[in-house]
Amino acid sequence: MISFMIHVVVSLFAVSNPIGNVPLFITLTEGYTEKERSQTAKKAIVVSFIILVAFLLAGRLIFKLFGIDIHALRIAGGIFIFGIAYNLLNAKESHVQNPHSEEKAESKEKADVSVTPLAIPIIAGPGTIATVMSLTPGSQVMLHMFAILIGIVIVLAMTFYAFHYSSFIMRKMGKTEMNVVTRLMGLILAVVAVEMIGAGLKGMFPTFMS
């Protein structure tokens, strides 16, 4: 169970990439005081927690209503996440998990950026949601569900502290160091994506993958 929880934390941390999103947080909260930045980060984390837990608990029900198989979700999610990983490996922003330049400009004009774009799609974006859904066991094992919940809390806590100390991190880390972290997260995420695709293929075609 410990190894599964570590896998959850590493997967979610890689796809959400808190350290890599620090410059974006700084940009979106330009002109904010340290207290305002902390409050914005806290609200974004709370909203993200609600979104991810909602998909953890009710996501399978939603998919069942639409007749979507979990193995198909794992394959689609793996391909989807691999696209994010490819951009991270090239130290590029993924527009799936990060807003476009027009959306960034619009966000700066808003009084509150904690929900959009910070919570959605930066923290609890499609990639993070797909990862949570793909990690959820098909049999809804409560112990595994609890491990995923703890993993979500750990990663969101790390994200909060990354944003809370964003000014300090930016002073200590330059562009090169940020790119190194981003590429490392991309490599980990690519491995996670391949594992998800493999698990999905094995579930859909057990005879051919045995």
Side-chain angles (χ1 to χ4, degrees):
M1 184 53 64
I2 298 297
S3 60
F4 176 72
M5 188 178 296
I6 293 172
H7 176 68
V8 171
V9 171
V10 170
S11 300
L12 291 176
F13 188 87
V15 73
S16 60
N17 192 18
I19 302 299
N21 284 326
V22 165
L24 183 55
F25 176 77
I26 290 287
T27 302
L28 290 171
T29 57
E30 187 177 357
Y32 284 34
T33 64
E34 290 300 319
K35 183 178 180 181
E36 288 172 336
R37 275 183 174 160
S38 181
Q39 290 174 339
T40 300
K42 189 180 296 182
K43 184 176 179 181
I45 293 302
V46 171
V47 173
S48 300
F49 176 79
I50 293 171
I51 292 170
L52 294 178
V53 171
F55 273 94
L56 173 64
L57 298 177
R60 289 303 179 89
L61 177 61
I62 296 171
F63 276 68
K64 186 177 289 186
L65 289 174
F66 287 96
I68 301 174
D69 185 73
I70 181 58
H71 302 302
L73 171 66
R74 287 193 172 114
I75 296 172
I79 295 171
F80 183 73
I81 292 170
F82 190 85
I84 298 175
Y86 179 80
N87 284 327
L88 293 179
L89 283 168
N90 289 282
K92 296 178 181 178
E93 288 186 351
S94 170
H95 292 305
V96 171
Q97 200 76 356
N98 289 299
H100 293 266
S101 57
E102 295 84 358
E103 293 173 317
K104 291 178 186 176
E106 182 183 346
S107 297
K108 288 183 187 178
E109 299 173 1
K110 296 179 180 178
D112 186 6
V113 298
S114 57
V115 177
T116 304
L118 278 179
I120 309 168
I122 295 174
I123 303 173
T128 314
I129 292 171
T131 303
V132 168
M133 293 286 293
S134 299
L135 288 169
T136 307
S139 57
Q140 295 283 3
V141 179
M142 292 303 296
L143 199 57
H144 278 202
M145 297 282 283
F146 181 73
I148 295 171
L149 179 62
I150 295 300
I152 290 172
V153 171
I154 291 172
V155 172
L156 289 181
M158 290 190 289
T159 303
F160 170 75
Y161 283 108
F163 288 172
H164 182 72
Y165 295 104
S166 55
S167 300
F168 174 79
I169 293 172
M170 286 299 292
R171 285 196 301 269
K172 294 297 181 180
M173 295 182 68
K175 181 67 175 176
T176 302
E177 288 80 4
M178 285 289 185
N179 285 342
V180 169
V181 172
T182 299
R183 286 192 169 96
L184 179 60
M185 292 300 101
L187 178 60
I188 295 172
L189 199 57
V191 174
V192 171
V194 171
E195 285 186 346
M196 286 170 60
I197 294 171
L201 289 172
K202 187 175 182 179
M204 289 191 73
F205 309 105
T207 304
F208 296 101
M209 301 298 291
S210 59

